[in-house]
Amino acid sequence: MSIASPVEPPTAMVVAGEEETRVLLRGLLRLHHFRVLGEAEGGSGALDRLREAAPQVLVVDSQLAEGSADSLVPAVRRRFSAVRV
């Protein structure tokens, strides 16, 4: 008899300016069996958290408290090429 090893869930981080949006996105990710490692309100916070948490997926809302999604996405792709945005 072999014992199946548990499969690690994929990891994610959420970036959104509104708390309600972050709560919604966290819930959706958990519903789809992601482990949410953290969240941020804006671009600089997201970059700091990415260094610490190293998630596999970054979910970015279009409305951020600081910075913009348009500038965050290319910065993440340049600095953290393994992270899916």
Side-chain angles (χ1 to χ4, degrees):
M1 171 170 50
S2 68
I3 299 175
S5 63
V7 175
E8 287 292 319
T11 58
M13 192 173 96
V14 171
V15 185
E18 298 285 329
E19 182 174 358
E20 295 84 10
T21 303
R22 291 191 307 275
V23 169
L24 175 67
L25 292 172
R26 278 195 321 263
L28 288 170
L29 285 163
R30 289 179 178 146
L31 179 68
H32 291 279
H33 307 287
F34 278 79
R35 186 166 50 107
V36 180
L37 300 178
E39 62 182 54
E41 295 179 357
S44 60
L47 293 172
D48 290 341
R49 294 289 313 197
L50 279 168
R51 281 186 209 95
E52 299 166 6
Q56 295 167 316
V57 174
L58 181 68
V59 178
V60 181
D61 185 46
S62 62
Q63 301 295 315
L64 304 181
E66 168 264 319
S68 71
D70 291 340
S71 61
L72 177 60
V73 171
V76 170
R77 288 185 173 152
R78 275 192 310 273
R79 297 179 194 174
F80 307 96
S81 60
V83 176
R84 296 284 191 165
V85 183

